[in-house]
Amino acid sequence: MTTPYNKALSALDTMHAEDPRRVEVNGQSLPLELWHAERMNAWLEQLVEAPGECLILAVRAQHLKRWEVPRNQYPEGRIGYLTWRRDQGKRAAELASEALLEAGYSTQDAEETARMIRKQGLGRDPGTQAVEDCACLVFLENYFADFSHQVDHDHLIRIVQKTWAKMSPKAHELALALPMDGDARALVEEALAG
C-alpha cells in the first residue's frame, strides 16, 4: 500500500529529477538537485535519531526546483543574495506543501514542513535547525572548496563565520570531521579562530 510519505517523497524526487543540470557521481550522471537532496538526507541520518516524516520531507525539499530561478536574476551583493535565498525558500515551501497535501498529508503537516523549509524558528525549532544544519554540511562537504576560489579571502572568512553561527553543536562536530584539502581546512580554522 502506498503511504502519504511514499507518495510525497516520489513527488518531490520527480520534481528534483527535472533539473537539467547534471552531476557525475560514481560514473553515473544524476540531476544535480536530486543528488543534492540525497546528500541532505544522508546528513540528516547522522544528525537526528529517528527523524519524523515532515522533517525528512523538509530536508529533501529544501532546494526544490531552485534551478528555475537562478541567482543571476537578482542583484549582485549581499542584499540580492539574501532576497534570492528567502524567495527560494518560500517557493520551495509552497511546492513541497502542495505535494504533501496531494499525497494525503494534513494541512498542519504540510504547513509544518513548509515552515521548516522557510527556516522559521532557526535556533529555536529542532526541525528548522536540522534543515539548516544539513544545508550547511552539504555546502561545506561539496561546494566550499570550489567556492573558496571565487570569493576574496576576507569575505570568505565572514561567510564561514556566519555559516558556523547558524549550525548546532552536533553539526559543528560533523563539519570538523569532514575531509578537506589543506587550503579549505586552513580557511575554516582561521575563521573559527577569529
Side-chain angles (χ1 to χ4, degrees):
M1 184 174 170
T2 303
T3 65
Y5 173 76
N6 290 335
K7 288 180 188 174
L9 188 62
S10 177
L12 294 175
D13 284 352
T14 296
M15 285 187 264
H16 289 320
E18 295 170 4
D19 188 350
R21 302 167 303 167
R22 308 297 287 189
V23 63
E24 195 78 20
V25 180
N26 298 326
Q28 183 182 9
S29 177
L30 297 173
L32 176 60
E33 195 171 279
L34 182 60
W35 169 81
H36 182 93
E38 289 170 355
R39 291 307 311 141
M40 290 284 289
N41 281 124
W43 281 114
L44 180 63
E45 289 175 11
Q46 294 186 57
L47 280 164
V48 178
E49 188 175 328
E53 291 179 6
C54 290
L55 175 55
I56 295 169
L57 295 169
V59 165
R60 191 98 179 159
Q62 193 248 349
H63 268 198
L64 200 54
K65 293 198 164 220
R66 187 168 272 209
W67 77 88
E68 291 185 345
V69 184
R71 168 68 182 93
N72 64 13
Q73 290 185 4
Y74 285 73
E76 289 297 317
R78 179 171 159 67
I79 292 172
Y81 169 73
L82 293 175
T83 304
W84 171 77
R85 194 177 71 186
R86 182 202 62 218
D87 290 352
Q88 288 284 26
K90 286 180 181 178
R91 187 169 177 274
E94 289 170 13
L95 291 167
S97 179
E98 290 169 10
L100 266 69
L101 291 170
E102 288 176 20
Y105 277 95
S106 68
T107 302
Q108 181 180 345
D109 285 342
E111 179 47 39
E112 179 186 350
T113 303
R115 180 187 48 73
M116 288 186 278
I117 294 168
R118 289 189 302 265
K119 310 272 180 78
Q120 291 175 297
L122 184 60
R124 299 183 312 276
D125 178 77
T128 301
Q129 186 62 56
V131 173
E132 182 65 28
D133 283 345
C134 291
C136 292
L137 287 162
V138 169
F139 168 72
L140 290 169
E141 174 190 43
N142 300 287
Y143 304 111
F144 178 64
D146 288 340
F147 185 72
S148 68
H149 300 296
Q150 302 168 20
V151 178
D152 75 73
H153 180 82
D154 291 344
H155 186 202
L156 188 61
I157 295 297
R158 287 191 303 275
I159 288 170
V160 172
Q161 290 169 337
K162 288 178 181 180
T163 299
W164 203 259
K166 294 186 289 186
M167 295 166 68
S168 70
K170 174 71 174 175
H172 290 159
E173 288 176 33
L174 293 168
L176 289 173
L178 282 169
M180 293 184 197
D181 69 28
D183 291 341
R185 175 75 57 194
L187 284 165
V188 170
E189 289 174 359
E190 180 182 345
L192 298 184

